[in-house]
Amino acid sequence: MTTRIVERSVRRRAKSKTEPDNPTPECEGQDQTDLAEWIRLPAPGDRCPRTGLSSGSLNDLVFAKPPEVKSIVLKMPGAKRGVRLIQLQSLRDYLEGLLISQMGGQDDE
């Protein structure tokens, strides 16, 4: 019985947190990354695989007054909790606006 418990805990620890169990199509190839319209808010302590922003940074953008990035909560009827989804295009637009404002409207090309 003790051997089974040890084997299970070793298997759990061996699983990598960075690799999803079932990768979604938008994560499989570079050319397919633009397929997702909505992305899930990363778990606390994790980072967005597309932007590298932490979950805390994305929360700051979502919960700003007024919100800098559009988001929704997907929740089943009667559920206490849901999943926060961020509209990827609004996040890209926000970051693009930052780039333009920080470069002073200059173009590299």
Side-chain angles (χ1 to χ4, degrees):
M1 184 167 179
T2 308
T3 308
R4 259 195 236 157
I5 294 171
V6 172
E7 287 175 6
R8 280 190 219 150
S9 64
V10 169
R11 275 187 271 158
R12 277 191 215 131
R13 276 187 251 137
K15 189 185 266 188
S16 173
K17 277 187 127 181
T18 58
E19 295 180 25
D21 291 334
N22 298 317
T24 55
E26 69 266 13
C27 294
E28 288 179 3
Q30 288 287 11
D31 54 3
Q32 295 181 0
T33 55
D34 292 332
L35 292 178
E37 186 174 340
W38 297 89
I39 58 172
R40 188 175 181 151
L41 186 68
D46 287 347
R47 293 188 172 272
C48 173
R50 290 175 177 82
T51 63
L53 292 172
S54 67
S55 58
S57 297
L58 290 171
N59 266 330
D60 290 344
L61 297 175
V62 167
F63 294 112
K65 298 288 182 198
E68 304 285 351
V69 174
K70 296 177 185 176
S71 72
I72 59 169
V73 176
L74 182 62
K75 188 167 82 167
M76 299 302 290
K80 291 183 179 181
R81 296 182 181 174
V83 175
R84 179 149 312 264
L85 299 174
I86 296 173
Q87 187 183 37
L88 186 56
Q89 189 59 49
S90 71
L91 178 58
R92 288 182 176 152
D93 291 344
Y94 174 76
L95 294 174
E96 184 71 26
L98 280 180
L99 175 68
I100 291 169
S101 69
Q102 290 176 7
M103 293 183 67
Q106 299 173 0
D107 240 352
D108 288 345
E109 297 178 86

